[in-house]
Each structure stands twice: as C-alpha cells, then as structure tokens.
Amino acid sequence: MAIVGRDHLITDDSALKRYGRATYAVEHPVLAAVQPGNTEQVQQCLRLAQEQQVPVYPISTGLNTGYGSAVPCAPDCLLLDLSRMRAISDYDAELACVWVEPGVTQQQLYDFLQEQGDGLWMDCTGSYPEHSLIGNIMERGFGHTFMADHYAQVGGFEVVLPTGDCIETGAGQFAGARARGYYRWGVGPHIDGLFTQGNFGVVTRACIWLHPAPPYTLNFACAVNRDDDLEALVDCLRPLRLDGTIPSAMHIGNDYKVLTSILRYPHDRAGGKGPLPEALRDEMIANWEFGAWNVSGALYGTRASVRESKQRLKAALKPLKGRVRFVDEGLLRFAQRISRPYAALTGKNLEEMLKLARPVFGMTQGRPSRDVIASTYWRKREAAPADPNPERDRCGLIWVSPVFPTRGAEARAVWDTVRETLLEFGFEPSVSITMITGRASDCVVSIAYDRDQAGEDEAALACRDALLTRLAGQGYYPYRLGAGGMGLLANQRDSNRRLLADLKRSLDPAGILAPGRYEPGE
Amino acid sequence: MAIVGRDHLITDDSALKRYGRATYAVEHPVLAAVQPGNTEQVQQCLRLAQEQQVPVYPISTGLNTGYGSAVPCAPDCLLLDLSRMRAISDYDAELACVWVEPGVTQQQLYDFLQEQGDGLWMDCTGSYPEHSLIGNIMERGFGHTFMADHYAQVGGFEVVLPTGDCIETGAGQFAGARARGYYRWGVGPHIDGLFTQGNFGVVTRACIWLHPAPPYTLNFACAVNRDDDLEALVDCLRPLRLDGTIPSAMHIGNDYKVLTSILRYPHDRAGGKGPLPEALRDEMIANWEFGAWNVSGALYGTRASVRESKQRLKAALKPLKGRVRFVDEGLLRFAQRISRPYAALTGKNLEEMLKLARPVFGMTQGRPSRDVIASTYWRKREAAPADPNPERDRCGLIWVSPVFPTRGAEARAVWDTVRETLLEFGFEPSVSITMITGRASDCVVSIAYDRDQAGEDEAALACRDALLTRLAGQGYYPYRLGAGGMGLLANQRDSNRRLLADLKRSLDPAGILAPGRYEPGE
C-alpha cells in the first residue's frame, strides 16, 4: 500500500469482482488488485511479492476478451493492474516510432497520432478501442494493415523481471544507446520474444514502429457463394499475399461470421436451442449481399501501382466467379452523400451497408472501431446496451485460433473440423481466417453463447476442449491460448517443456509471476 | 571418436592450425576438431563434453572473417565443425521456404534454387559464396535485397541445447505441427532469438523464407562528391527507405571503400607507412567515376511501379546534384555487347566498370559473388592468389560495425569518430553504411592491413578497441562482435548482464558451450 497509495490498492469484493469475470467459465478469486503508476512501483510490487511469496498476475487493460479477459491463470493472485500507466513518450515523427506504457489504448495512440498530424499510421486490432497495445503485443495478436503482425513491429521493451530487476531489450540494453527503439536486435542474444506469451517478465514499456501513410488505400471485398470454394479462394489469393501484391493481412469471414456481426440470434424462430437451423441461416443471409466466404483486405501505394495490383487481384479471382468490390475514401464519401436518394430509388439500404463498410475501411488504415463489440451479444436475449460490456453482461465468447499453412487443402481440413465440432456442441461455426503471411494463416473460431442459459457455459468449454484436441490431432495448433485452456501445452516436445521450465526456474524460482500462464500445468 | 568415426575427428596439429587462424591477432589453441554428420551426433558430442567437462565451440563453415573466422572465444575448446552437415530439405516452392543445415553455403542454396527453377530468390551477403547461411543468421548478418535482415527471414530452428537435448522452435515445438517453419512465433514464449549471438545452443537446422522473384529489378547507383554531403544524403534517402520506395537494404560506401575494393595499396609510392596520403588517394580516385559517398541499392516491382519509384528517387536526390545511374539486366547485356567498340571509340574501359557492376547487380538478386574477397588483400605486398584465402595468406582485417539511428547528423558523428580513429592508428577509414531499415543503419568499418608487417597486428587491435570505446562513449554500439573483442558487453546494464548470466547458468551450468562467446568476461 505504501508503494502505490491507498487509492490504488483495491481490496473490496465488489470492485475485485470486475477483474474476476471473463466471457466464459473461468474464475479464479483475486486477493487484491494494485495499480502501480510507474515502472518503479511495478518493481517494488514484484519485490514485495517475492518477499511475501504472493503470486502476481499482470494485466494491461484486462480486455483479453474471448481468452479470459483479466482473469488470472491461478487462484489467489495479487492482480497487477497496469492500466494507470498511460504514458506515450519519445515520439519520433522522423523515424516513425513511439514508446507506450501498458495502459495506452488503441484509441489513445490513434488520437495522439491524429493530433501530431505527421501522417503516421499505427495498426489496430478489431477488438475494443480501449484495448491495450502492449496487451495485444504480449499475446502476439494481429490487425489489418501491412503492420498487422504486432510483435514484429516492436523496436524494444522495458521489462520488469520477476525479481523486480528492470532490463531493456534490443539496443536499449546499453544505457544511453542512441539506437534504442530503432534497432530491434541489439547485440548478444535477442531476448524480446521471451516476454511474449509467458510469465518471464512484465513489459512496462514498448517501442512501437509506425509507418508513413501510403498515398492511396483501396479496400477490396470479394464473396464466393459456395462453401466448397474455400480451397480455391485460399490458393488463388496466396500467391498475391506472398509476392506482396496484397500487403495487408487479409481476412476471410464465413457467412456465420458476417451474420453474427450484423444480426442477432432469432431466438423466437430458432426453436430455443442452437445451433441456428441452416434454412433459417439461408433466409437471414438472403437479404444481404455476402457469400459463403467473404474476403476483405486492402491495397496500398500510389494510384498507379494500386491500379496494377487491382488488375492482378481481379485476374486471380476471376476463375472463382466471385463478386469483387473496391472501395476507397472517395467512394465512401460519395455513397454517404447519395444514400438517401439511392434508397428512395432502389429500395436498398445503402446506409446500412455503409455502416458495415466504414469501420472495415478504417481498420485497414489503423483506425480502431467499436462496432465489433456488439457481435458478442449475438446469442443474448436482451439488446446490447448503449455501453456494451460483454464480461458484465454475461455474453459467452471463447476464441480458438488454430494456425495452418496457407494452402486451400489445409484451410478445408481446419474448417471441416471446426464446423463439425461447433455444430455438434450446438454453436454456430463462425470463423474468420486471417492470412497473416503467404505462408501461415490463422482461423479464429468464435464460440458465442449466452452465459445466462443453463448448460451453455459447460457446453462451450467442452466444445473448446474438443476442438483444440481434435485440431491438435491433425497437427493444427493455436497461435494463442486463453486462461483455463493452457493444457494443450502438455503436447510440446519433452525437451521444449524442460527448457521452458528451466528458464522459468532460473528467472522466478518461487513461481511468483503469473503462475499457470502459458504453462502446461495450468 | 565412436560418435563420428575416425575420419571426422581431427587431432593433428597442422590440420588444427587451419581452424586456429583469423584475419587478426586472436589465437586460442584448439584441443581437437570433431565433424558430426547429423543432429544426433551433435547431441552425443555435447553429452560427452558435459560428462568430460570439455568446452565445445561450434562453427558452421568457420568463415566469420573480420570477426575471428573459426577461432573460439576461449582456449582449449573442442571445435564442433558442422560443415559436413550440408542437407537442404523440406523445400516448399508453393510456400517459398526451405530448411538448411549449418554446412549449407550461400552458393549451394543459390545453385539449388536455380536447379529447382521455381523463380524463388534467397538473400546473400557480400561475403564468400562458401559462407554458411546459418552462420550468418547466428550473427544476425544482413545482405542486399528486401530480405536483407537474415534473422527476420527465419521460420524456425532446430537447436541442440548445451545438455545435448534437442528442441524445435516456433510451430515446430509440437511434433507433427503442420505450420512448422511456416509460422514463426508458435505458441508460448518465442525463444529463437536466444540462440543468435550467444552460447545458449547449437542451431542444427533452420527454415529460411524465400521470395518469389519480382518481375523487374532496377539497380541504382548515386555518387556525391563532397564528404560533407553525407548528412544530406542520409536524410534525403531515409524517407524513401521508410515508406518502402526503396525496399532493399541500401549501401553507402565511401571513397576508401570503393578504392580498396578495386585497387591495391600503392606501397611503392605511399612512403612505406599508412595511412594512404590524401593526395595519393585523390589521384587514384580521379581515374574512376565515384564520389566521396557512393550509394547502391535496388528497386523492385513491375516496370511501371519501378518507374514511379525511380522518379521519386531522382527527385529526392536532386538537391544533392549527385550523379544517379540506373542499371537493369537489359542494360548490362547491352553494355557487355558494346564494350569493345565503346573502348575503341571513347578510350574508356567499360569492361572494367562492368566487372564492378555485375556482382553488385547479382547480389541485389541474391546471387553470391567471390569478387569481394580480393579486397582483403588491399595492403598485402603480393598479388592475391588464384585461390584467395585471407586467413592463410595473413591478410589483416577487422570489422567494427556500429549501429546508429538513420539520421544524417548521427551518420556524421559516427563517421567523424571512425575517420579520426583509423587515421590516427595508421589505417584507411574504409566504411560501408547499410540502411538496414529507415530507422537504423549500420556502419561497417574495415581495418585492413598486412599481418606480415611488424606492429600492424598490435596497431589494428588497439585501433579496434579505441574505436569501440569511443563510439560507445557517444552511444553507438555495434550490431555484432568478434572473437577477442567481446569486452564491450561489460557496458550492458547490470540487470541485463545478470539476466543473461542467469539464463546461461540454467541452460549450461558448467559453461561447456562456447565459453566467452558474447560474454563480457571473454
């Protein structure tokens, strides 16, 4: 308490409850929460924790939704809530980077960059604007632009080790090094990766690389009607992703994914029990112009170079006979202006379509959007409130995210397993495939439900575990795991597990920091 | 001996001598050399070494020229020579990657890719064609294309730990994982970086990412006449490197660098003692069309997009009034054809210029070249032999490679210190600046001399140490260190040093693997 002051030590039950709830059944009572205001206080907290042998669980803003939110991976931890550490510093417009603390949100950095007015872009995820940038880097998350792979855009970390020692990585390992943050590798072993997806240290500052805004951005969207087209779609887009024609992480959502994003589950017509009957799904889809698989991505460059990329993209997609649409800033503005007369003339709701297009377009330029939160309420009986909060409102959401080589046949294998498993457990198989690179793609599966419905919590967890096990049996492992679901790490080679255990023991002999996090014995 | 067979255990002094010589005065007697043929034998060697408490020093092909070649960082090591492990495997033309063992050379992979004929490119360094790919990745070296940052192009490692345990990194941490090699991060802590520039493990296999050949490559070269133009040159090129107009790592060599690459030291005219008098330098330069600073790089893309980039590049360079030249495959072929009539008409030796242009052009397409080796003989009295071998021929060469933020003023600060220091110690300040990214550049300084001249070995080491110390005093640290020159690591923050020592202790309690390598106490 002397470390952070009375206001920043939280011990009363109702306040602590806020930290202890996720969007699925994972609950670990929290001893207390402490909110340090700076790195030194984080060091002091860890030193005290070592002295007192109290386990500590760090969170940034705690919005790890679908993967456990703020819930620790073990009971009776002291929660180290870093959300007060909101400093943005060492902004360098010339070399395009900036340092942030764990409490800095996507929206905060976006607003900061807008204010600076230097035309620099960041990348954002499709998650909340209040999402911590560092939190996402720690999970090696991804977004929508050519900087989509967030951990790859890090110039260096400041890290508090379990002992309370503070280090800097990369060039910053030397005090006063001028290349700090600009040169990622430093000299000697490169240790940054150790502090992602694990419990080896608390990152208290990160250098994020930005990028000059390209002169022109053209979004594209393509839909194919048949589920069977998935293989061909992946195989014809891969070469363009691999050769750089499509520099953005491309997303391919299925019909369920789009449906759950824009509509609500028709409880009255669905017979009271999931999954959504196919006939009903088809009826719901019919009113919208999307297909079995829906690609969205962006091309960047000068108008002339984008025009060339556009031609290559159209040529590649031609055999699929899919609808390809292109949207840029100018078209969006135009559509906005004509939406009323357009509706009057055609009866089509352009306004509604614009509501979908705008946030997607924004995200391919690094602009965070709140629109995605609403989809978490898909299965809820009540309408989403004006201030949505899925954890508070007992929305059910578990994300499972297997990685596969970017090949049509592998996409098919993953999708078949996902579809069968989710339907079997009574959930809509809503997926979004991201071509992180031309070599590896990630299939983010949403298990969405209503925690207030008896039995659904249990079914969802059973579904997650079955899905992880089945996919692993086929060789598909996730890029990320959630609280209460780390068990899959027991599948690691014995030698890898021994190595990680040895490293952990050397950095944190008593296992004080985030016990269970990315550990097979969680 | 039972592990590798009699033929692959080397104990006789004359054979061992080959391993023990570098291009500067660093000598550590080697106990014996063992040449394992596969990963299992590497494991057995390490297990035996732990049992017998014998230090082991791994080399790939041992061509770490300028940084210590094959010489260990401590005396009386068993040399683990991995050059027999030359397997290229799991080549994947579709997803553009391939696995290599430590003995696979740049030339070998280049030839392999040519044979496959799938139009995939690799990246190479300017060093020997016989250079190991993994050896360079281990030192986080760089090359010339858009894949210049070699460690950034790694999809995963197989590593033998000091204990003899064998692990795989990235997705390969799970046996049978389909994304092995394709997905770099895996799940859980990302540990690959630990095994670069250190002594935490022996990498026995690496997945290297390749890239589809771009449709068109245009090389550019630009020379500015005044030394004072360096700042402006860096500042006007940086935005193009940062925004992707110039996707290749760009190199900026000074006049000394070009001179030492194409000519030999004029011992007869130089008065017997370095550095080369300035008047003589200017006279030597006058016959050639290069400037105080000479940029070379490449643009890639379609002809139309390259044309746009070319315009931007020309516009950026305009204020400098430098000569900009562009060379593509077609022009090279044309010049080849007309070189004789051209010489007859103009008296200019186009042939000689082509000899310079061709390897540079090749390297921007990933084609290794032998041409650079000759420059190591700059200060030697004798002509370079037909089979150059700088270590054997007692060429003197030490490389010092400080990293600085890509800003003109910083380039100037580094260059001033380099020039003053090298001249003070009697060496030509030959440097090549590489814009690794728009944010960080590396200045590779060559201290070139003749080991057969009394006192030069000592002067060169004193020069290296003075240069490292002076640069560090200004905040400029190198990206890489050489055998006998690791002492700078003592400048690391105490907490960083403690962390690395703890990690080392946990992986290799007896310090068997590569003692001294990237350790401050070398």
Side-chain angles (χ1 to χ4, degrees):
Chain A
M1 196 174 75
I3 298 172
V4 295
R6 159 145 298 295
D7 287 354
H8 303 301
L9 176 69
I10 296 162
T11 51
D12 74 289
D13 273 2
S14 69
L16 288 178
K17 232 171 134 178
R18 189 173 62 84
Y19 292 112
R21 62 194 178 200
T23 54
Y24 57 92
V26 57
E27 265 142 48
H28 287 308
V30 164
L31 277 187
V34 58
Q35 300 174 318
N38 57 45
T39 300
E40 218 182 328
Q41 292 182 1
V42 174
Q43 293 183 264
Q44 290 169 337
C45 288
L46 277 163
R47 286 198 194 111
L48 188 68
Q50 289 287 359
E51 254 175 59
Q52 307 287 325
Q53 301 276 296
V54 178
V56 168
Y57 193 84
I59 58 165
S60 302
T61 53
L63 295 174
N64 194 15
T65 307
Y67 294 105
S69 305
V71 178
C73 296
D76 301 322
C77 288
L78 174 69
L79 216 84
L80 196 63
D81 174 351
L82 306 173
S83 61
R84 274 179 65 216
M85 295 176 63
R86 289 172 60 89
I88 296 176
S89 60
D90 301 278
Y91 170 67
D92 187 333
E94 204 168 65
L95 302 191
C97 55
V98 66
W99 287 78
V100 297
E101 288 185 340
V104 176
T105 68
Q106 306 199 104
Q107 189 67 45
Q108 189 189 347
L109 182 58
Y110 181 79
D111 292 342
F112 174 87
L113 294 175
Q114 291 299 107
E115 264 166 51
Q116 301 299 315
D118 297 309
L120 291 175
W121 279 11
M122 56 177 272
D123 189 89
C124 70
T125 70
S127 190
Y128 310 7
E130 294 80 13
H131 201 124
S132 158
L133 293 160
I134 285 186
N136 191 258
I137 291 168
M138 290 301 96
E139 294 292 339
R140 297 197 297 258
F142 46 83
H144 298 77
T145 72
F146 39 82
M147 299 178 283
D149 186 350
H150 294 165
Y151 170 54
Q153 299 293 322
V154 166
F157 288 143
E158 175 188 86
V159 187
V160 176
L161 300 178
T163 55
D165 253 17
C166 181
I167 63 154
E168 285 206 33
T169 69
Q173 69 192 264
F174 300 102
R178 299 200 51 93
R180 171 177 179 267
Y182 306 120
Y183 185 63
R184 180 179 173 83
W185 308 132
V187 62
H190 183 252
I191 55 176
D192 299 47
L194 274 186
F195 304 106
T196 60
Q197 290 193 359
N199 53 16
F200 292 168
V202 180
V203 171
T204 46
R205 205 184 299 265
C207 177
I208 293 181
W209 289 349
L210 309 166
H211 198 278
Y216 179 59
T217 304
L218 183 66
N219 268 39
F220 63 88
C222 168
V224 294
N225 284 333
R226 303 179 324 136
D227 182 81
D228 284 352
D229 287 331
L230 176 62
E231 285 95 316
L233 192 62
V234 169
D235 286 330
C236 78
L237 288 170
R238 180 192 51 247
L240 303 185
R241 184 78 184 94
L242 205 55
D243 74 9
T245 301
I246 301 172
S248 69
M250 199 167 12
H251 297 259
I252 309 177
N254 68 352
D255 42 15
Y256 286 107
K257 179 75 191 174
V258 186
L259 199 59
T260 56
S261 303
I262 54 180
L263 296 178
R264 298 291 297 283
Y265 192 83
H267 285 285
D268 47 334
R269 303 179 56 203
K273 211 176 156 292
L276 183 69
E278 281 198 28
L280 198 47
R281 177 200 64 179
D282 293 341
E283 193 191 313
M284 291 169 80
I285 292 176
N287 292 322
W288 295 81
E289 296 208 343
F290 58 87
W293 296 101
N294 306 275
V295 185
S296 81
L299 308 172
Y300 304 94
T302 60
R303 278 187 181 261
S305 71
V306 167
R307 201 177 308 125
E308 284 196 314
S309 301
K310 181 179 168 181
Q311 293 316 321
R312 284 203 290 283
L313 178 62
K314 282 169 84 170
L317 287 169
K318 197 154 195 193
L320 279 169
K321 302 188 173 55
R323 304 177 291 277
V324 198
R325 293 233 170 71
F326 295 90
V327 177
D328 66 5
E329 196 79 58
L331 186 64
L332 272 183
R333 267 201 306 268
F334 176 71
Q336 178 71 37
R337 234 168 43 220
I338 63 151
S339 68
R340 289 207 181 170
Y342 186 84
L345 284 167
T346 65
K348 284 204 176 178
N349 195 341
L350 195 58
E351 193 68 54
E352 201 58 36
M353 286 183 208
L354 282 174
K355 233 164 71 186
L356 290 179
R358 242 183 266 114
V360 172
F361 186 72
M363 281 191 282
T364 61
Q365 306 195 325
R367 193 184 314 133
S369 160
R370 192 174 304 280
D371 288 46
V372 283
I373 306 181
S375 71
T376 318
Y377 289 76
W378 160 249
R379 282 270 200 118
K380 295 296 287 185
R381 262 70 178 174
E382 317 79 44
D387 62 330
N389 181 327
E391 285 85 357
R392 178 199 62 205
D393 297 337
R394 294 185 55 78
C395 299
L397 179 66
I398 303 180
W399 274 335
V400 178
S401 40
V403 175
F404 61 90
T406 305
R407 269 195 259 266
E410 312 245 18
R412 166 59 53 192
V414 169
W415 165 234
D416 281 349
T417 301
V418 167
R419 192 190 56 243
E420 281 158 26
T421 307
L422 265 77
L423 291 176
E424 179 187 330
F425 283 86
F427 302 102
E428 291 72 45
S430 152
V431 308
S432 170
I433 291 172
T434 303
M435 255 190 220
I436 307 176
T437 66
R439 294 181 190 86
S441 296
D442 186 87
C443 178
V444 179
V445 181
S446 310
I447 305 176
Y449 63 100
D450 182 354
R451 296 197 67 195
D452 284 328
Q453 296 305 305
E456 292 205 359
D457 255 346
E458 294 75 13
L461 281 185
C463 179
R464 175 193 70 185
D465 294 341
L467 184 58
L468 283 170
T469 306
R470 289 175 192 178
L471 287 168
Q474 295 172 277
Y476 300 110
Y477 284 87
Y479 89 96
R480 173 175 181 177
L481 291 167
M486 304 281 175
L488 197 68
L489 290 167
N491 284 19
Q492 278 184 321
R493 292 169 198 277
D494 291 344
S495 51
N496 278 71
R497 267 193 296 135
R498 274 197 301 270
L499 168 64
L500 292 173
D502 285 350
L503 293 176
K504 175 67 177 174
R505 211 160 17 240
S506 88
L507 297 181
D508 186 14
I512 288 302
L513 184 61
R517 188 172 143 78
Y518 285 96
E519 287 181 338
E522 187 204 11
Chain B
M1 198 173 72
I3 297 172
V4 296
R6 162 146 291 299
D7 289 354
H8 303 302
L9 177 70
I10 295 162
T11 52
D12 73 289
D13 273 0
S14 68
L16 287 180
K17 231 170 132 179
R18 190 172 61 83
Y19 292 113
R21 62 194 180 201
T23 54
Y24 58 92
V26 57
E27 265 140 47
H28 286 309
V30 164
L31 277 186
V34 59
Q35 300 173 318
N38 57 46
T39 300
E40 218 182 327
Q41 291 182 2
V42 174
Q43 294 183 263
Q44 290 169 339
C45 288
L46 277 164
R47 285 196 195 111
L48 188 67
Q50 289 287 359
E51 252 176 61
Q52 307 286 325
Q53 301 276 295
V54 178
V56 168
Y57 192 84
I59 58 167
S60 303
T61 53
L63 295 173
N64 193 15
T65 307
Y67 294 104
S69 304
V71 178
C73 296
D76 300 323
C77 287
L78 174 70
L79 215 83
L80 196 65
D81 174 353
L82 306 173
S83 62
R84 277 177 65 217
M85 295 177 61
R86 289 172 60 87
I88 296 175
S89 61
D90 301 277
Y91 170 66
D92 188 332
E94 205 167 66
L95 302 191
C97 54
V98 66
W99 287 78
V100 299
E101 288 184 341
V104 175
T105 68
Q106 306 199 104
Q107 189 66 46
Q108 188 188 347
L109 183 59
Y110 181 79
D111 293 342
F112 173 87
L113 293 176
Q114 292 299 108
E115 264 166 50
Q116 301 299 316
D118 296 310
L120 291 177
W121 279 11
M122 56 178 272
D123 188 272
C124 70
T125 70
S127 189
Y128 311 7
E130 294 80 13
H131 202 126
S132 158
L133 293 161
I134 285 186
N136 192 258
I137 291 168
M138 290 299 97
E139 295 292 340
R140 297 197 296 258
F142 46 84
H144 298 77
T145 72
F146 39 82
M147 298 177 283
D149 187 351
H150 293 164
Y151 169 54
Q153 298 293 321
V154 165
F157 288 142
E158 176 189 85
V159 187
V160 176
L161 299 178
T163 55
D165 254 16
C166 181
I167 63 153
E168 286 206 32
T169 68
Q173 68 192 266
F174 299 101
R178 298 198 55 90
R180 172 176 177 267
Y182 305 119
Y183 185 62
R184 181 180 173 84
W185 308 131
V187 63
H190 183 252
I191 56 177
D192 298 49
L194 273 187
F195 303 108
T196 60
Q197 292 194 357
N199 53 15
F200 292 167
V202 180
V203 171
T204 47
R205 205 184 298 266
C207 177
I208 293 182
W209 289 349
L210 310 165
H211 198 276
Y216 179 60
T217 303
L218 182 67
N219 269 39
F220 63 88
C222 168
V224 294
N225 284 333
R226 304 180 322 138
D227 183 81
D228 285 352
D229 287 332
L230 176 62
E231 286 93 316
L233 192 62
V234 169
D235 286 329
C236 79
L237 288 171
R238 180 193 50 247
L240 303 186
R241 183 77 185 96
L242 204 55
D243 74 8
T245 300
I246 301 171
S248 69
M250 200 170 9
H251 296 260
I252 309 177
N254 69 351
D255 42 15
Y256 285 106
K257 179 75 190 174
V258 186
L259 199 59
T260 57
S261 303
I262 54 180
L263 296 177
R264 299 289 297 282
Y265 192 83
H267 285 284
D268 47 336
R269 305 178 58 202
K273 212 177 154 291
L276 182 70
E278 281 199 28
L280 197 48
R281 178 200 63 180
D282 292 342
E283 192 192 314
M284 292 169 79
I285 291 176
N287 293 320
W288 295 82
E289 296 209 341
F290 58 85
W293 295 102
N294 306 275
V295 185
S296 80
L299 307 173
Y300 303 93
T302 61
R303 280 186 181 261
S305 71
V306 167
R307 201 178 308 129
E308 284 195 313
S309 301
K310 182 179 169 181
Q311 292 317 322
R312 283 203 291 280
L313 178 61
K314 282 170 84 169
L317 288 169
K318 199 155 192 189
L320 280 169
K321 300 187 172 56
R323 303 178 291 275
V324 198
R325 293 230 169 71
F326 294 90
V327 177
D328 66 6
E329 196 80 57
L331 186 64
L332 272 183
R333 267 200 307 268
F334 175 72
Q336 179 71 37
R337 235 169 43 222
I338 64 151
S339 67
R340 289 213 181 167
Y342 186 83
L345 285 167
T346 64
K348 285 207 176 176
N349 194 342
L350 194 58
E351 193 69 53
E352 201 58 36
M353 286 182 206
L354 282 174
K355 236 165 67 188
L356 291 179
R358 240 182 267 113
V360 172
F361 185 70
M363 281 190 284
T364 59
Q365 306 195 326
R367 193 185 312 133
S369 161
R370 191 174 304 280
D371 289 46
V372 282
I373 306 182
S375 71
T376 318
Y377 289 76
W378 160 249
R379 282 271 201 118
K380 294 298 284 185
R381 262 70 178 174
E382 316 81 43
D387 63 328
N389 180 328
E391 284 86 356
R392 177 198 63 204
D393 297 337
R394 295 184 55 78
C395 299
L397 179 66
I398 303 180
W399 273 335
V400 178
S401 39
V403 175
F404 60 90
T406 304
R407 268 195 260 264
E410 313 246 15
R412 165 59 53 191
V414 169
W415 166 234
D416 280 350
T417 301
V418 167
R419 192 188 57 244
E420 280 158 27
T421 307
L422 266 79
L423 292 175
E424 177 187 331
F425 284 85
F427 302 101
E428 290 72 45
S430 152
V431 307
S432 169
I433 291 171
T434 302
M435 254 188 220
I436 307 176
T437 66
R439 294 181 190 86
S441 296
D442 186 87
C443 178
V444 179
V445 181
S446 310
I447 305 176
Y449 63 101
D450 183 354
R451 298 198 66 195
D452 284 329
Q453 296 306 305
E456 292 205 358
D457 255 346
E458 294 75 12
L461 281 185
C463 180
R464 176 194 68 185
D465 294 341
L467 184 57
L468 283 171
T469 305
R470 290 175 191 179
L471 287 169
Q474 295 172 277
Y476 300 111
Y477 284 87
Y479 89 96
R480 173 176 179 176
L481 291 166
M486 304 281 174
L488 197 68
L489 291 168
N491 285 18
Q492 279 183 322
R493 291 169 198 276
D494 291 343
S495 51
N496 278 72
R497 268 192 297 133
R498 274 197 301 271
L499 168 65
L500 292 173
D502 284 350
L503 294 175
K504 175 68 176 172
R505 212 163 12 243
S506 87
L507 296 181
D508 186 13
I512 289 302
L513 185 62
R517 188 174 143 76
Y518 286 96
E519 286 181 339
E522 187 204 11

